[in-house]
Amino acid sequence: MLEHGGKLRNAATRYQIPLDQWIDLSTGINPNGWPIPAIPGECWVRLPEADDGLVEAARRYYQSPHILPVAGSQAAIQALPLLRPASVTGMLSPAYAEHAANWQKAGHTLINLNPDTLDETIGTLDVLVLINPNNPTGRRFSQAQLLAWHENLQARGGWLIVDEAFIDTTPEYSLGSYLPRPGLIILRSLGKFFGLAGARCGFVLADEVLLNQLNEQLGPWTLSHPCRYVATQALCDGDWQERTSLALKQQSQRLQHLLESHGLIPDGHTDLFVWSKIPQAPALHELLARQGILTRLFDTPASLRFGLPKDETQWGRLDIALKTIPPAIFGDKIG
């Protein structure tokens, strides 16, 4: 199993700090997610049905005609490599590691790519997997650039897969409205922006032929009835979406300024996290953890990703904790 953020129970045990005293900044999940309503009792006693309004709500929200609900985008990440013969598959590093692990596990040839030289290497690939914006670096790709790469791949029967898990606050970068196009596959999730990671609800946007193949691979009832109910309501709540998008942009800017004020200069960000390369990342991660603040540590390159604090109490604790960090930890990151 690969390492992921959010392992709060492990941290509580390791550092002997009670679970309810932690600030979890390790996941990039909106800490003030969509408010869950009461769930009707029938959701617990009846099997889910496909014509319950979820797909229609997703089509409106994602601005795309062909959509398949899946058990989190992770389900698609694991299944999509099984739908192709052995392929040369390219992806960036660092990036969400589940993509590389699953394509490699399925027997495909994996190539680590430099985003600045992708134009030169695209012709050698059968499949290109990108996260837009990238996790953890925050790097974004324009629609025009992505569509050009897709055209190159599709001409040879290839695929472009774009994981848009962190794109909700910047829908102008999404390729959803360009579908359906053969060989273009978009992954979306309710886990980050909506803060509904525990629901394990995601969507695949693609042409109908591929979605039918994927649906056969995954089998029936990929989402529980309660999950489908909650997801439908969340996707239809335009007022909450608008307020939250603005709030997350403001909070991300606040987090960048807070880190900069303590000498930790960000190297990338989205509206849900800030990422900083720092040689002493393991030491900084450890020092913050000893104060009950969990960040996401990356080895290559050595770096930390900070999610957003939930409330003013957490913002204050993060500020105080950063004040205790010896300047030598930041090294050449000091502003």
Side-chain angles (χ1 to χ4, degrees), residues 142-157:
S142 70
Q143 289 178 327
Q145 181 65 85
L146 291 169
L147 291 172
W149 287 333
H150 166 257
E151 184 177 356
N152 185 301
L153 290 160
Q154 198 276 325
R156 294 175 281 109

Side-chain angles (χ1 to χ4, degrees), residues 2 28 39 60 69 90 120 142 159 219 244-245 249 266 287 330:
L2 297 175
I39 298 175
R60 290 192 297 270
E120 303 166 17
S142 70
W159 288 358
T244 299
S245 183
K249 291 177 186 295
L287 290 171
F330 297 122

Side-chain angles (χ1 to χ4, degrees), residues 180-225:
R181 295 189 181 198
L184 178 59
I185 303 164
I186 309 298
L187 307 183
R188 299 295 297 260
S189 170
L190 263 65
K192 306 303 183 182
F193 172 73
F194 288 94
L196 297 175
R200 307 308 307 133
C201 179
F203 299 89
V204 182
L205 289 56
D207 68 87
E208 199 166 11
V209 172
L210 187 138
L211 291 184
N212 287 337
Q213 294 173 344
L214 182 59
N215 194 30
E216 288 293 323
Q217 177 71 32
L218 294 174
W221 307 309
T222 56
L223 295 181
S224 71
H225 198 160

Side-chain angles (χ1 to χ4, degrees), residues 132 140-144 146 164 167-178 188 245 249 271:
N132 191 38
R140 299 181 187 277
F141 300 93
S142 70
Q143 289 178 327
L146 291 169
E164 296 184 345
I167 212 167
D168 292 72
T169 60
T170 53
E172 65 272 17
Y173 285 92
S174 175
L175 291 185
S177 62
Y178 288 91
R188 299 295 297 260
S245 183
K249 291 177 186 295
D271 291 333

Side-chain angles (χ1 to χ4, degrees), residues 8-41:
L8 205 56
R9 294 184 184 276
N10 287 352
T13 299
R14 176 178 177 181
Y15 294 97
Q16 293 298 292
I17 299 173
L19 196 63
D20 61 359
Q21 295 181 23
W22 280 86
I23 299 174
D24 186 5
L25 307 181
S26 69
T27 66
I29 295 170
N30 180 0
N32 296 293
W34 186 74
I36 306 297
I39 298 175

